């Protein structure tokens, strides 16, 4: 598959550190709020080393700033449209949950040219990327992303992009307010292709499906 990247500059370490901290804050909040999905996912990735048990982390301890409250519409809505035979897709972090994609599924044609922009336009200081996986690879990519937790410095330099043939296309790691457009050709084979943010700890929630038909 032909993939073009506009830029390969690495992300700043400040944002990585901030992102990890915020990720942990979200985890604490999730424990307090009893969000079963997040607790299950983070429990696996953080283990008992970092996740305080519920008795020592009351919900009141969660920082209010990390709690998404607004559902205000983004200035330019994300969209999927056709231009000159190509699928032109714009994604942003979700307005209600900044650790999600606002568009969680879209459809392209077999072999179609795709121009996808991921615009990390969020008020929350989180780094994100966008990784398109092979059909059926979602669980492997989630495991790979969470496994990077043990070697954050090594993987930060690689934009937290997993290695191997499961990755079909991807953006670089985007700091807040950064965006990148990637051009790629949709797979010939029809099916459901997962996309994820593979920043460690994000992919259990921050995911979607590109349907090829
Ligand atoms: Cu992310």
């Amino acid at each position: 598959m032909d993939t073009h990247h506009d830029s390969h500059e690495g992300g700043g370490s400040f944002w990585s550190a901030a992102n990890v901290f915020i990720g942990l804050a979200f985890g604490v909040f999730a424990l307090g709020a009893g969000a079963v999905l997040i607790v299950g996912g983070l429990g696996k990735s953080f283990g008992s080393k970092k996740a305080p048990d519920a008795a020592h982390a009351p919900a009141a301890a969660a920082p209010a700033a990390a709690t998404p409250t607004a559902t205000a519409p983004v200035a330019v809505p994300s969209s999927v449209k056709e231009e000159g035979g190509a699928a032109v897709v714009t994604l942003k972090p979700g307005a209600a949950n900044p650790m999600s994609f606002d568009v969680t599924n879209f459809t392209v044609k077999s072999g179609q040219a795709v121009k996808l922009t991921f615009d990390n336009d969020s008020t929350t200081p989180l780094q994100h990327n966008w990784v398109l996986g092979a059909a059926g690879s979602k669980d492997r990519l989630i495991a790979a992303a969470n496994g990077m937790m043990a070697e954050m410095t090594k993987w930060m330099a690689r934009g937290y992009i997993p290695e191997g043939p499961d990755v079909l296309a991807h953006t670089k790691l985007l700091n807040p307010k950064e965006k990148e457009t990637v051009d790629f050709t949709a797979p010939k084979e029809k099916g459901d292709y997962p996309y994820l943010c593979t920043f460690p700890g994000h992919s259990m929630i921050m995911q979607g499906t590109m349907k090829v038909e």
Side-chain angles (χ1 to χ4, degrees):
M1 177 167 308
D2 179 39
T3 305
H4 169 73
H5 301 282
D6 290 346
S7 167
H8 273 289
E9 296 188 16
S13 58
F14 168 77
W15 285 118
S16 279
N19 205 350
V20 170
F21 174 79
I22 290 161
L24 289 169
F26 266 98
V28 171
F29 170 75
L31 284 166
V36 173
L37 185 57
I38 296 175
V39 169
L42 289 180
K44 276 182 219 148
S45 45
F46 289 113
S48 57
K49 291 179 305 230
K50 292 182 183 171
D53 63 55
H56 297 101
T67 307
T69 53
T71 53
V74 289
V76 180
S78 297
S79 64
V80 182
K81 56 192 174 188
E82 282 210 351
E83 281 179 10
V88 179
V89 181
T90 304
L91 305 176
K92 293 181 179 182
N97 180 354
M99 212 182 284
S100 68
F101 291 112
D102 63 343
V103 173
T104 54
N105 63 77
F106 62 90
T107 301
V108 300
K109 298 188 187 101
S110 167
Q112 186 177 24
V114 182
K115 181 184 278 291
L116 183 139
T117 300
F118 180 36
D119 182 357
N120 189 11
D121 180 14
S122 171
T123 54
T124 312
L126 291 169
Q127 289 180 306
H128 298 297
N129 63 22
W130 179 87
V131 174
L132 178 67
S137 69
K138 184 168 84 171
D139 289 346
R140 289 194 298 273
L141 289 173
I142 289 173
N146 289 340
M148 295 173 191
M149 197 75 73
E151 296 177 289
M152 290 294 279
T153 304
K154 167 189 162 185
W155 287 102
M156 182 180 71
R158 303 177 183 192
Y160 303 106
I161 305 300
E163 293 176 315
D166 282 340
V167 175
L168 302 184
H170 66 87
T171 67
K172 66 175 181 173
L173 183 67
L174 297 169
N175 289 323
K177 303 301 179 188
E178 272 192 307
K179 63 181 173 183
E180 186 185 20
T181 300
V182 291
D183 294 297
F184 61 95
T185 303
K188 291 268 191 293
E189 194 171 333
K190 296 176 181 178
D192 291 341
Y193 293 77
Y195 58 85
L196 309 156
C197 168
T198 54
F199 189 101
H202 291 194
S203 58
M204 290 84 74
I205 306 289
M206 197 163 186
Q207 55 175 255
T209 302
M210 184 183 85
K211 182 180 276 295
V212 175
E213 61 176 35

